[in-house]
Amino acid sequence: PDMWSEEIFAEIARLSKPRSTASTFTVAGSVRRAMQAAGFDVEKRAGYGRKREMLTARIDTPPTVSSPAPWFHAACAAPAAPGAEIAIIGAGVAGTSLAREMRRNGFQPALVDPHGIAGGASGNPAGLIMPRLDLGDGAGARFFIAAYLEALAAIDAIERESGAGFFNRCGVLLKTVDEESKSRLEKITAARLLPEGYMTLRDDGLFFPQAGVIDPARYCALLAAETPLVGARVLSLAAADGKIILRTDDGGERAFAAAVIANGRDALKFRETRTLPLSGVMGQIDHFAAADAPGHAIAFGPYAAPAPEGGLVIGATYEKIAAHETAATSAEATLSNIDALGAALPAIAAALDAKGSSPRASVRCQTPDRLPVVGAMPDWSHYGAEYDDLRVGRKRDYAPAQSVPGLFILSGLGSRGLVTAPLAARMIVAMMAGAPAPVERDISEALHPARFFIRDLKRSQRIVAN
């Protein structure tokens, strides 16, 4: 009987959307009265099998519950219809992960990218699939753990479905470089942040046996399978008549039921995103096709890994890059990668000749808190008008957030997009479909596109959102 408390039914009502229904095998008077008290219309009906009667219930107007952070929770919007055509701007690992998840949920995605599949940072010759582990139980720490497990599951599923091999499960060693790092890895091991068997503490560091090296371009191509590609650059977006209109540099205008901005740093070229503190970081990796590689990948800040096509990949440099600049390789960056490798793995570095490198430079997109930006695109006019009182610390009942209908963003994945993109894509598509979120509410809030806007208001920093 303890499970049938009034508090439980009040919570069920709070979590219900308008016109939600419920049913239960019990017809006890206490259950019926508790459901009615919570706002449900209750009806007794014929039961099943040997059960003579059952209860059904419906709630048309769930109770309005004040949210401690209404700016992160928009009023309930109608989900996209099954079969809806949805544009994905960007065809890197973020965009292609979205494409796969949309197809799995019955939508019809289209990728829009002038550079084709994996034309940016996702086109590197190798990438690491390994966890980021932070001590503590914060939302960001839990997101990265969940993302790693989701990425492994997605890779396994794609390999089974396609029969293609693109992931070398060689394992990754997070190498100890000093006493401080050794102590931290010991604490991480003691905290048991991953399931049993997913990490092993060794004398030389923390080893992740399920981790490994992926072929990013091949991975993105499989994620994008059966998804049409528009080889054009999106110049502007507009919401009109319940559609998102894309104007492209080939002179075309294309209408979609919804759109997701997933083109990394180039997201800042749209008016709707210019309040977001996205920045570019250029990174160069170097592929030595004739070099011997260790049997597993080794990460120590930089990394060394066996390349999918053979040889050794090392990297990556980390250099700020202006919004108007493009990535370019350099001999200095190659030497920097070799020097960084020499500090941790001198024997491997000593065997490398800088002239034998095939370098590749690309731009990662990151945020100040190193967490991705995932969610519906805020209506900045609403935010600026409705939440301006936060600048002066005024406490009142703030209205729920408003977003641009049908417009979403997935950006700021930094150097961990191969790991975080699958779970972030699931979050976006769940919002579109009106399905339960795959993460806890505080994780959604930690990744919300408006978090920096709200943070700056609370810090009394005036923002002009236009």
Side-chain angles (χ1 to χ4, degrees):
D2 290 347
M3 69 182 289
W4 302 114
S5 69
E6 292 186 2
E7 290 79 9
I8 289 291
F9 288 112
E11 183 69 357
I12 292 172
R14 184 185 72 81
L15 294 171
S16 297
K17 292 183 179 180
R19 300 177 299 283
S20 292
T21 61
S23 60
T24 173
F25 68 89
T26 183
V27 291
S30 59
V31 173
R32 187 171 63 252
R33 290 188 294 273
M35 294 189 76
Q36 289 171 333
F40 286 90
D41 294 324
V42 182
E43 180 183 356
K44 190 183 293 186
R45 293 186 181 181
Y48 291 87
R50 284 185 260 178
K51 186 65 181 175
R52 189 176 64 192
E53 294 176 314
M54 61 179 283
L55 292 180
T56 63
R58 174 186 171 106
I59 186 166
D60 290 321
T61 308
T64 300
V65 180
S66 177
S67 169
W71 33 84
F72 294 142
H73 305 288
C76 185
E85 295 182 343
I86 300 173
I88 303 169
I89 303 168
V93 69
T96 55
S97 293
L98 283 162
R100 178 175 184 269
E101 192 63 25
M102 288 180 189
R103 293 195 311 274
R104 292 177 65 204
N105 282 269
F107 298 126
Q108 297 184 52
L111 291 159
V112 187
D113 194 316
H115 306 297
I117 305 296
S122 300
N124 282 344
L128 295 189
I129 300 294
M130 65 175 293
R132 169 178 160 174
L133 299 178
D134 299 319
L135 291 169
D137 193 39
R142 284 184 281 113
F143 167 74
F144 282 114
I145 291 172
Y148 174 60
L149 299 177
E150 178 71 22
L152 292 177
I155 291 168
D156 285 345
I158 295 169
E159 287 193 328
R160 286 195 307 269
E161 295 164 5
S162 66
F166 55 89
F167 182 46
N168 179 7
R169 295 168 175 77
C170 58
V172 177
L173 175 70
L174 184 56
K175 184 174 173 56
T176 298
V177 294
D178 52 31
E179 286 301 316
E180 183 180 354
S181 67
K182 180 180 179 180
S183 174
R184 181 175 179 273
L185 295 183
E186 289 173 348
K187 291 176 182 177
I188 286 174
T189 304
R192 299 183 178 181
L193 300 178
L194 291 175
E196 190 70 27
Y198 276 68
M199 60 182 180
T200 303
L201 186 63
R202 309 189 329 193
D203 289 340
D204 54 351
L206 191 57
F207 187 70
F208 304 106
Q210 286 80 13
V213 183
I214 201 166
D215 181 338
R218 180 65 174 145
Y219 179 41
C220 289
L222 291 168
L223 287 167
E226 302 179 13
T227 303
L229 173 67
V230 178
R233 184 182 305 279
V234 179
L235 300 178
S236 65
L237 303 163
D241 300 324
K243 299 283 188 179
I244 297 293
I245 312 299
L246 274 59
R247 186 169 63 87
T248 52
D249 63 355
D250 59 1
E253 284 192 358
R254 298 170 173 86
F256 296 88
V260 187
I261 298 170
N263 57 343
R265 180 184 61 157
D266 284 346
L268 292 174
K269 294 182 178 180
F270 299 119
R271 177 179 57 83
E272 293 82 358
T273 61
R274 287 176 186 164
T275 61
L276 297 176
L278 301 174
S279 61
V281 176
M282 185 173 69
Q284 177 174 312
I285 57 94
D286 287 275
H287 179 205
F288 295 86
D292 293 330
H296 56 73
I298 304 171
F300 46 94
Y303 68 89
E309 300 299 324
L312 173 72
V313 170
I314 66 171
T317 58
Y318 190 96
E319 182 180 348
K320 289 284 187 180
I321 184 170
H324 64 278
E325 292 181 316
T326 57
T329 61
S330 69
E332 291 78 8
T334 298
L335 293 173
S336 176
N337 278 333
I338 294 175
D339 288 345
L341 182 68
L345 302 168
I348 296 177
L352 299 180
D353 180 355
K355 296 179 180 178
S357 167
S358 296
R360 188 176 191 274
S362 56
V363 178
R364 316 177 193 98
C365 178
Q366 69 178 22
T367 63
D369 59 10
R370 303 300 187 267
L371 290 172
V373 173
V374 184
M377 180 58 64
D379 179 335
W380 298 118
S381 296
H382 169 83
Y383 272 74
E386 181 60 35
Y387 305 131
D388 190 61
D389 285 352
L390 292 173
R391 290 188 303 107
V392 293
R394 183 170 298 166
K395 294 182 179 180
R396 61 178 176 85
D397 288 333
Y398 289 94
Q402 289 185 14
S403 56
V404 179
L407 187 59
F408 300 81
I409 185 167
L410 171 50
S411 187
L413 299 180
S415 60
R416 296 187 177 270
L418 290 166
V419 174
T420 56
L423 181 56
R426 278 190 63 198
M427 293 172 63
I428 294 276
V429 176
M431 295 175 201
M432 288 183 172
V439 297
E440 299 96 324
R441 175 172 292 204
D442 64 338
I443 291 179
S444 294
E445 294 178 356
L447 274 56
H448 197 282
R451 66 186 186 270
F452 304 106
F453 188 99
I454 295 298
R455 187 178 305 170
D456 288 344
L457 281 180
K458 290 183 176 180
R459 290 174 179 170
S460 300
Q461 296 178 2
R462 184 178 295 275
I463 296 177
V464 177
N466 185 0

